[in-house]
Amino acid sequence: MSAEKRQSMINFNVPPYTGHEMEYIRQCVENQKICGDGPYTKKCNEWIEKKMGTAKCLMTTSCTHATELAAMLSQVKEGDEVIMPAYTFVSTANAFVLRGAVPVFVDIRPDTMNLDEKLIESAVTERTKAIVPVHYAGVACEMDTIMETAQRHHLMVIEDAAQGVMSFYKGKALGTIGDFGCYSFHETKNYSMGEGGALLIKDPKYVEDAEIIREKGTNRSKYYRGQIDKYTWINYGSSYLPSDMNAAYLYAQLEMAEEINDARLGCWNRYYENLKGLAQEGKIELPVVPEGCVHNAHMFYIKAKDIEERTALKSFLAEKDILAVFHYIPLHTAPAGLKFGRFHGEDRYTTRESERLLRLPMYYRLTMEQVDYISDMVKEFYR
Ligand SMILES: *Cc1c(COP(=O)(O)O)cnc(C)c1O
């Protein structure tokens, strides 16, 4: 591809940038505070606790690591089973596989691509320890049903809210409904620090253990707060603290979270309006946001008739300088999924729907003109 052509390409994602990031990172460098749990990490923790309404937020090096922490805090052990969708990122499963647990995949709902809450109960066995709902595209799973099922069977609920920062379910922020919530601040997410994440903890009784595991198994967090005069090795653990420079990058966006959210929603709604006609003609399907769900425009996807049509559409858009991408290959069909997990019941929708889905460009500062152009090209394909 020529340099000229690459210039005009509409990328699928552009990392968020508000303009204050460099100033905040410079402060870290000048103040010689660049390791973990510095001033910006604290600001991010506090911002998330206040905005989302959770007992505790601990910034982590990734959502993957937040989920690993949640798996340890939930006491998931060898041979335990953990119910989750197969239509998700590998980390949702890996965090539990690392503890020796078996991911039990349950089919998704075709409307939201989320775990079908009605199928969870039939997958529960004596070994089931936890349910891991993944809020796909920042649209909430049916959490009332999931929490009821969990309570009935004494299961932990760990929300993979990697895509759900600033999304709500019946007024509650995603990530604050289950026992633990995991956020991602990867470059491809709505708010970013390059690589990073956060663990949200609902019940304060887990906070001390979480702080210890996150700090290499030591009580250094207590030491930093002046609660003890030396710190020591207390438990198993690892290093899940991001550098304060990364937190500084993120904080610049959290400060402008509403603005970023509104801009993304503006694009999402424009796509929806532009493509509604095609959906009414039955040519494509559009995302569904159920009652009670407030989403964050993490993603705008459309569904083609089948995988062949999707491949053709993706190539057509690429010719028009639009980078559209498909998403997860269902985990139960991947080599590690076959080795470590099992699918419960019938795969009615997971594979079929995942093969139809195409994600259109979506990022902060995508312009309305670009959205209109992309929508026109989708319409042209179907003409
Ligand atoms: C992005 C993502 C993750 C992983 O996030 P990292 O911060 O890159 O570890 C996990 N689950 C889902 C659903 C994601 O979208």
Side-chain angles (χ1 to χ4, degrees):
M1 197 183 293
S2 70
E4 200 181 306
K5 186 144 188 200
R6 216 169 315 152
Q7 284 262 311
S8 62
M9 195 83 189
I10 303 179
N11 277 317
F12 169 68
N13 176 60
V14 174
Y17 184 74
T18 65
H20 300 280
E21 287 84 350
M22 293 311 282
E23 182 193 326
Y24 295 170
I25 291 170
R26 182 181 298 119
Q27 275 175 26
C28 294
V29 175
E30 285 176 359
N31 297 336
Q32 301 178 338
K33 287 249 181 282
I34 58 174
C35 72
D37 283 340
Y40 278 106
T41 306
K42 291 202 181 96
K43 278 177 195 268
C44 290
N45 286 336
E46 282 161 16
W47 189 92
I48 292 170
E49 283 162 11
K50 191 151 162 261
K51 181 81 189 174
M52 308 306 170
T54 185
K56 189 75 184 172
C57 169
L58 293 173
M59 295 300 295
T60 59
T61 28
S62 62
C63 179
T64 301
H65 280 166
T67 314
E68 287 178 21
L69 268 166
M72 288 184 229
L73 292 164
S74 302
Q75 304 284 326
V76 171
K77 295 194 180 67
E78 182 98 36
D80 285 348
E81 294 178 354
V82 180
I83 296 170
M84 63 182 70
Y87 187 67
T88 183
F89 190 58
V90 294
S91 299
T92 316
N94 265 334
F96 300 94
V97 168
L98 281 169
R99 311 251 54 81
V102 178
V104 174
F105 303 114
V106 164
D107 209 9
I108 55 167
R109 295 166 40 152
D111 59 347
T112 57
M113 305 298 283
N114 283 336
L115 189 60
D116 186 337
E117 68 281 357
K118 294 193 203 78
L119 300 175
I120 295 172
E121 191 132 44
S122 70
V124 174
T125 72
E126 271 154 33
R127 316 195 96 176
T128 308
K129 191 72 184 250
I131 306 171
V132 189
V134 179
H135 305 295
Y136 188 70
V139 176
C141 295
E142 188 41 53
M143 289 307 290
D144 279 351
T145 309
I146 292 173
M147 294 307 289
E148 271 166 36
T149 308
Q151 267 143 26
R152 225 176 5 254
H153 297 279
H154 310 287
L155 307 175
M156 299 293 285
V157 174
I158 297 145
E159 295 178 72
D160 182 335
Q163 302 174 17
V165 182
M166 293 282 281
S167 288
F168 296 84
Y169 171 80
K170 299 187 181 172
K172 292 181 197 155
L174 301 192
T176 68
I177 304 164
D179 298 281
F180 300 107
C182 306
Y183 283 172
S184 175
F185 300 115
H186 183 260
E187 176 180 294
T188 51
K189 301 305 198 293
N190 293 24
Y191 309 94
S192 180
M193 54 200 277
E195 299 279 352
L199 176 69
L200 277 63
I201 303 174
K202 187 162 76 175
D203 187 337
K205 78 176 181 202
Y206 292 107
V207 173
E208 190 169 337
D209 278 347
E211 284 183 340
I212 289 168
I213 298 172
R214 178 175 169 271
E215 255 285 16
K216 299 98 180 164
T218 74
N219 53 0
R220 186 147 75 175
S221 298
K222 265 189 161 171
Y223 170 75
Y224 277 147
R225 286 195 296 264
Q227 292 166 320
I228 45 174
D229 47 17
K230 60 174 184 260
Y231 75 87
T232 186
W233 187 22
I234 302 286
N235 198 353
Y236 55 80
S238 190
S239 184
Y240 293 123
L241 294 73
S243 157
D244 216 45
M245 291 187 289
N246 293 59
Y249 189 97
L250 178 67
Y251 192 66
Q253 290 149 55
L254 295 184
E255 277 185 330
M256 288 176 63
E258 295 292 344
E259 192 172 329
I260 293 173
N261 198 45
D262 288 349
R264 294 187 74 112
L265 282 167
C267 290
W268 198 100
N269 292 332
R270 182 81 151 223
Y271 269 132
Y272 198 95
E273 279 306 308
N274 288 346
L275 297 172
K276 219 167 52 184
L278 271 187
Q280 278 157 1
E281 290 167 38
K283 300 250 173 66
I284 60 168
E285 278 175 39
L286 295 178
V288 172
V289 181
E291 277 272 318
C293 298
V294 173
H295 74 106
N296 60 358
H298 172 63
M299 191 190 302
F300 193 91
Y301 64 77
I302 61 176
K303 284 188 193 162
K305 183 163 67 52
D306 52 27
I307 194 165
E308 286 76 27
E309 189 179 282
R310 181 184 72 176
T311 305
L313 173 58
K314 185 174 177 294
S315 312
F316 179 84
L317 293 176
E319 277 166 31
K320 306 289 177 193
D321 293 325
I322 298 162
L323 207 63
V325 299
F326 55 81
H327 214 179
Y328 310 125
I329 310 287
L331 298 183
H332 66 299
T333 63
L338 291 166
K339 188 156 125 197
F340 297 122
R342 66 178 166 82
F343 199 95
H344 173 85
E346 192 193 341
D347 171 6
R348 281 182 72 193
Y349 298 114
T350 302
T351 299
R352 200 185 83 191
E353 297 301 303
S354 69
E355 287 178 346
R356 300 172 58 203
L357 186 142
L358 189 69
R359 303 154 77 197
L360 301 181
M362 174 58 84
Y363 51 86
Y364 177 50
R365 295 202 166 143
L366 180 69
T367 66
M368 290 298 177
E369 291 71 37
Q370 287 172 316
V371 172
D372 289 345
Y373 171 70
I374 297 162
S375 308
D376 285 346
M377 292 306 111
V378 172
K379 285 188 217 165
E380 193 172 310
F381 174 82
Y382 281 101
R383 201 171 290 138

